[in-house]
C-alpha cells in the first residue's frame, strides 16, 4: 500500500515525526513554510527526490533527520542557514555533490551524519570534490 504525504499548513506545528511509516514520494516543498518547526524526522521511510531547496526557511529548526531513505541530489545550500541546528542525520541516502560546510554546519563535525552516501564529497569526508586542490602536492611542487 502506498502512503502519500499531504501536510496541512498550521503555523503552530513544532515537531513532525513521521519516521518508520513506509512513506513514499518526495518531501513536499510546503514543509518549508512551517517556520515554527523545531524538529523534523522523516527517517526510515522510502522517500525519493531531493531535499527541498528552501529547507533553510525553517529558521528555528534544531533537529533534522532524513536518514535511511532514497533521497538524491545535492544537499541544498540553504541548509547552512539553519543557525539553531544541533542534530542532523542525512545518512543512508543517495545524496551527491559537495557537503555544505557553512555557519552552524561547521559545529556538526561528525562524519556519520553523511555516512553511506557514496556520491557525497568534501567537508568531513575522505572523498575530495572535483576542483578541490591537494595542498600537499602543491606545497611540495611549488618550492623551486
Amino acid at each position: 500500500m502506498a502512503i502519500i504525504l499531504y501536510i496541512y499548513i498550521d503555523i503552530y506545528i513544532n515537531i513532525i515525526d513521521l519516521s518508520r511509516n513506509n512513506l513514499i514520494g518526495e518531501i513536499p516543498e510546503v514543509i518549508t513554510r512551517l517556520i515554527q518547526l523545531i524538529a523534523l524526522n522523516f527517517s526510515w521511510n522510502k522517500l525519493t527526490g531531493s531535499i527541498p531547496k528552501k529547507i533553510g526557511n525553517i529558521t528555528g529548526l534544531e533537529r533534522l533527520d532524513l536518514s535511511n531513505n532514497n533521497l538524491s541530489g545535492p544537499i541544498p545550500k540553504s541548509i547552512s542557514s539553519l543557525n539553531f541546528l544541533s542534530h542532523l542525520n542525512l545518512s543512508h541516502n543517495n545524496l551527491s555533490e559537495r557537503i555544505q560546510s557553512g555557519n552552524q554546519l561547521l559545529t556538526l563535525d561528525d562524519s556519520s551524519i553523511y555516512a553511506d552516501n557514496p556520491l557525497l564529497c568534501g567537508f568531513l569526508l575522505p572523498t575530495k570534490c572535483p576542483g578541490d586542490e591537494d595542498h600537499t602536492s602543491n606545497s611540495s611542487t611549488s618550492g623551486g
Side-chain angles (χ1 to χ4, degrees):
M1 172 178 18
I3 297 174
I4 300 175
L5 180 61
Y6 290 99
I7 298 194
Y8 170 75
I9 297 297
D10 182 346
I11 61 169
Y12 300 108
I13 294 175
N14 296 106
I15 297 171
I16 294 177
D17 186 345
L18 293 173
S19 59
R20 298 182 185 267
N21 275 290
N22 290 318
L23 299 176
I24 62 169
E26 297 187 7
I27 299 171
E29 188 77 28
V30 72
I31 200 90
T32 63
R33 294 188 199 160
L34 299 173
I35 58 173
Q36 297 296 319
L37 204 58
I38 58 172
L40 178 61
N41 187 345
F42 282 143
S43 65
W44 293 95
N45 284 294
K46 298 174 184 171
L47 297 173
T48 57
S50 59
I51 299 171
K53 289 182 181 179
K54 296 180 181 179
I55 194 79
N57 289 355
I58 313 173
T59 56
L61 201 59
E62 298 173 13
R63 302 181 62 78
L64 177 61
D65 192 340
L66 303 176
S67 64
N68 295 284
N69 280 288
N70 294 308
L71 298 171
S72 58
I75 297 170
K77 291 181 181 181
S78 70
I79 205 166
S80 65
S81 65
L82 296 174
N83 294 324
F84 297 102
L85 199 62
S86 61
H87 173 82
L88 176 65
N89 191 346
L90 302 175
S91 66
H92 306 284
N93 279 291
N94 295 306
L95 299 171
S96 60
E97 300 183 24
R98 181 181 304 275
I99 293 173
Q100 298 303 314
S101 61
N103 301 333
Q104 186 69 12
L105 293 180
L106 292 172
T107 67
L108 303 173
D109 58 359
D110 181 357
S111 63
S112 69
I113 291 169
Y114 308 105
D116 196 24
N117 282 288
L119 299 176
L120 275 181
C121 61
F123 180 66
L124 293 177
L125 296 178
T127 307
K128 291 186 183 286
C129 295
D132 284 351
E133 292 181 326
D134 183 351
H135 296 291
T136 307
S137 65
N138 286 346
S139 63
S140 63
T141 59
S142 62

